[in-house]
Amino acid sequence: MRNRAWTLTAHPEPGELIGKRHFALAESDVPALSDGQILVRTVALGTSPAQRAYASSAPAMHPKVPLGAVMRGRGVGVVVQSKDRQFHSGDIVEASLGWQEFAVLTPAHAGDGILRIAKLPNPMRPLTRHLGVLGGTGATAWFGLFEVGQAKPDETVVISAAAGGVGTVAVQLAKRRGCRVIGIVGSDAKARWITSALGADAAIDYKHDDVAQRLRELCPDGIDVYFDNVGGALLDIALTNLALHARVVICGFISTAQGEVIAGPKHYPNLLRKRARMEGFFVMDYLARWDEAHRPLRRWLDEGAFDPAEDVEQGLERMPDALASLFTGANCGIKLCRVAADP
Ligand SMILES: NC(=O)c1ccc[n+]([C@@H]2O[C@H](COP(=O)([O-])OP(=O)(O)OC[C@H]3O[C@@H](n4cnc5c(N)ncnc54)[C@H](OP(=O)(O)O)[C@@H]3O)[C@@H](O)[C@H]2O)c1
């Protein structure tokens, strides 16, 4: 059997958009399995801004992908051969498969961090759901909003990158909790989508609107929960309009995730004036509790009461462009890449 894989060939420079020029697509034989290994055929791959950090040479939270190695990324796939007693041919897994069609994995060495292997005993179709609402994206929105943000009914929740992966789930979850939800997005089309299809009460287009003024108009009593996917200037503006005892949830900082210099936040004294809390979190710290989020989310998906909001590219070839779309804002919803049909 032959494999196709994207390997990392160059680190993105600070401020440089990651894309095809940093990777090479190469073909090779699928190696024979050793004892304790499994062979997984990739069905779909997920994207995350963290993947740029894996590929860059700048300091980051996770281990780096060395030049020449297969690019790291989580995916969903089917076991096609197994020399590990816990796994069988036909098992569906969600794992760190890498940007490739076939992955050889060693479950005993995977651990429970970013390389973990999760067997899916009762997978939902299409399997892409397990990379989106029923994967890390759904868990991030849930624990960010409810554990860190403590969002309660009737509170005003503002979500940045609200038309992105985490954002679309957070918008729908906050609405279900009975919050007033305002999304910040990068285009008029995204603003219309999150209000008409996802139920947001209002949207702000940060590329064309005066965000500070719109936040004052839309949140006259201040923001109770600011769910921040973006950081930078938008975070600073949000800090000027907090309600008493507000919670600022630092989920991500994509506006400065390409190595830009971070200025501020200069309005942090408002945290004191408003007795507010600003807290970062990492979704993997909640791994043992992901089921608390995925159980209701799965029920709502089954009932057709929750929009999976997937934005799916077709073909392994598209992976570098799929990742780039997170930084250009070309994605709308949870950006995924289908590599093969569901088994
Ligand atoms: N804390 C955790 O454990 C955890 C886990 C997963 C993800 N995250 C974070 O969650 C955030 C969302 O991740 P995702 O995978 O769902 O990505 P995403 O939101 O689907 O994609 C990123 C979005 O950010 C917006 N964006 C890009 N550059 C921007 C800029 N300069 N200013 C304002 N907005 C910008 C774009 O939308 P527009 O068109 O609206 O600009 C784009 O669609 C990221 O910050 C990620 O790092 C955190």
Side-chain angles (χ1 to χ4, degrees):
M1 265 194 300
R2 300 284 285 169
N3 185 25
R4 287 191 315 150
W6 282 104
T7 53
L8 181 68
T9 54
H11 302 297
E13 295 296 323
E16 188 188 13
L17 180 64
I18 194 162
K20 265 200 190 102
R21 85 194 76 130
H22 303 104
F23 302 99
L25 186 58
E27 227 184 277
S28 63
D29 285 336
V30 172
L33 294 188
S34 304
D35 280 346
Q37 291 187 322
I38 60 174
L39 180 65
V40 180
R41 177 198 291 271
T42 305
V43 170
L45 292 167
T47 63
S48 163
Q51 291 174 346
R52 188 190 185 282
Y54 303 160
S56 84
S57 54
M61 194 169 167
H62 301 296
K64 299 292 178 181
V65 174
L67 291 180
V70 174
M71 179 58 189
R72 187 190 305 135
R74 293 198 70 81
V76 65
V78 55
V79 176
V80 289
Q81 214 185 322
S82 175
K83 288 198 170 187
D84 178 298
R85 264 191 281 155
Q86 311 286 325
F87 290 83
H88 303 97
S89 182
D91 284 349
I92 304 295
V93 293
E94 191 265 319
S96 182
L97 300 177
W99 290 12
Q100 56 186 341
E101 289 173 330
F102 289 95
V104 175
L105 305 177
T106 311
H109 295 165
D112 58 3
I114 58 168
L115 300 183
R116 78 195 183 285
I117 303 174
K119 209 194 279 194
L120 304 175
N122 179 24
M124 184 170 189
R125 312 282 166 164
L127 293 177
T128 49
R129 296 292 184 269
H130 294 280
L131 297 173
V133 173
L134 302 180
T137 304
T140 301
W142 181 285
F143 291 104
L145 196 59
F146 298 139
E147 287 289 317
V148 187
Q150 294 287 312
K152 295 176 197 66
D154 299 323
E155 287 193 323
T156 297
V157 175
V158 177
I159 300 167
S160 59
V166 173
T168 50
V169 182
V171 166
Q172 296 181 80
L173 286 177
K175 277 311 293 176
R176 284 191 154 265
R177 186 59 54 109
C179 304
R180 245 188 95 240
V181 180
I182 293 141
I184 302 180
V185 295
S187 73
D188 184 46
K190 288 185 178 184
R192 275 184 272 119
W193 181 54
I194 67 160
T195 47
S196 62
L198 303 184
D201 296 281
I204 300 173
D205 172 358
Y206 72 89
K207 290 185 180 164
H208 297 102
D209 296 341
D210 178 335
V211 179
Q213 185 189 324
R214 292 289 291 138
L215 282 177
R216 280 194 299 273
E217 289 164 7
L218 290 166
C219 316
D221 299 324
I223 301 166
D224 295 299
V225 179
Y226 182 58
F227 189 110
D228 191 21
N229 290 306
V230 161
L234 289 177
L235 168 61
D236 227 356
I237 293 170
L239 290 178
T240 62
N241 199 27
L242 299 178
L244 198 64
H245 301 303
R247 286 81 69 200
V248 178
V249 180
I250 303 298
C251 178
F253 40 83
I254 194 161
S255 73
T256 58
Q258 300 188 92
E260 294 85 346
V261 176
I262 302 177
K266 60 177 182 289
H267 295 302
Y268 81 89
N270 277 344
L271 294 171
L272 185 156
R273 294 179 191 119
K274 298 294 178 178
R275 289 71 148 178
R277 169 165 65 79
M278 179 151 91
E279 184 176 338
F281 77 103
F282 181 39
V283 67
M284 292 303 295
D285 294 343
Y286 295 90
L287 185 60
R289 296 177 51 195
W290 279 20
D291 203 37
E292 282 174 39
H294 290 162
R295 238 180 301 112
L297 283 165
R298 170 125 191 201
R299 194 174 64 247
W300 298 329
L301 284 171
D302 282 338
E303 293 166 0
F306 203 92
D307 191 331
E310 291 178 2
D311 174 355
V312 186
E313 296 280 352
Q314 300 296 330
L316 181 69
E317 302 77 9
R318 301 288 302 152
M319 249 341 259
D321 294 324
L323 178 56
S325 76
L326 306 184
F327 296 93
T328 61
N331 71 316
C332 207
I334 303 170
K335 192 71 186 179
L336 305 167
C337 198
R338 183 168 278 283
V339 177
D342 277 6

